[in-house]
Amino acid sequence: ASHLGISGNLRNPDELTADLGLLFDDSCKGPGLKIAEKLRRGPADKRGLNLNVGDVIMSIDREEITDKTNISKLLNGRIGETVTLEVTTTPSDPKSRRKVDIQAVNRVVTSGLMYQRWVTNNAEAISKASGG
C-alpha cells in the first residue's frame, strides 16, 4: 500500500503483546507448548533458567495451556514483566513440573533475534553446501 501512496490514520494497539524468545513445535498437539528452539541471546536463553528444546510449557502464570488457549492474550501488556512458566519434560507426570520465571520482551527485540537466526542459519547452510 505504501508504494501506491495509500496512507491513513493507523492506530496503535491498545496492548502490545510480549514475547518469550521461544519457538514452539507446531506438530505437538498438547497439552502444553513444546519448545522447538530458544532464540539465541533471547529472554529464554539465560543462564540458570534451564529451559531446553523438548521441554513442555504447561502453564503461563497459572493459566493451563490447552489447544484452545490464546497465548497472545496471556502475554498482552506484559512487556518488561516477569512471567512464570510451569515447565516439564514429562507432561503426563504433574509432579515433574518446575517453575521458571522469565522476563517478557517487546516483539521488536524478538524480530531482531529472528533476523540474526536467519543470518546464522543461512551462513551454516552455505558453509555446508560449499564444503566450507
Side-chain angles (χ1 to χ4, degrees):
S2 66
H3 294 283
L4 298 173
I6 298 171
S7 64
N9 274 339
L10 298 178
R11 288 186 41 209
N12 286 331
D14 293 334
E15 289 183 299
L16 295 175
T17 302
D19 202 288
L20 304 175
L22 295 167
L23 302 178
F24 300 107
D25 181 350
D26 291 332
S27 68
C28 179
K29 299 304 175 198
L33 295 167
K34 187 174 186 178
I35 299 173
E37 188 176 342
K38 292 188 297 185
L39 291 178
R40 200 167 161 195
R41 291 187 294 280
D45 189 29
K46 303 289 184 217
R47 185 176 298 168
L49 289 183
N50 198 25
L51 285 173
N52 300 299
V53 170
D55 284 348
V56 179
I57 299 173
M58 301 301 292
S59 72
I60 297 176
D61 289 328
R62 293 191 218 144
E63 186 80 30
E64 289 291 318
I65 298 173
T66 69
D67 58 339
K68 306 265 190 273
T69 305
N70 183 336
I71 303 305
S72 292
K73 270 190 168 181
L74 295 178
L75 296 173
N76 277 350
R78 302 297 306 274
I79 294 169
E81 293 182 17
T82 299
V83 175
T84 301
L85 310 176
E86 272 194 327
V87 182
T88 184
T89 54
T90 315
S92 60
D93 180 11
K95 293 182 181 181
S96 70
R97 292 184 182 191
R98 65 188 188 281
K99 290 186 180 185
V100 175
D101 289 332
I102 186 169
Q103 180 95 22
V105 297
N106 190 313
R107 288 196 169 172
V108 172
V109 171
T110 305
S111 176
L113 297 172
M114 288 295 289
Y115 176 76
Q116 288 304 316
R117 174 184 177 265
W118 177 77
V119 169
T120 300
N121 288 347
N122 284 337
E124 289 171 0
I126 290 168
S127 180
K128 182 178 179 183
S130 67

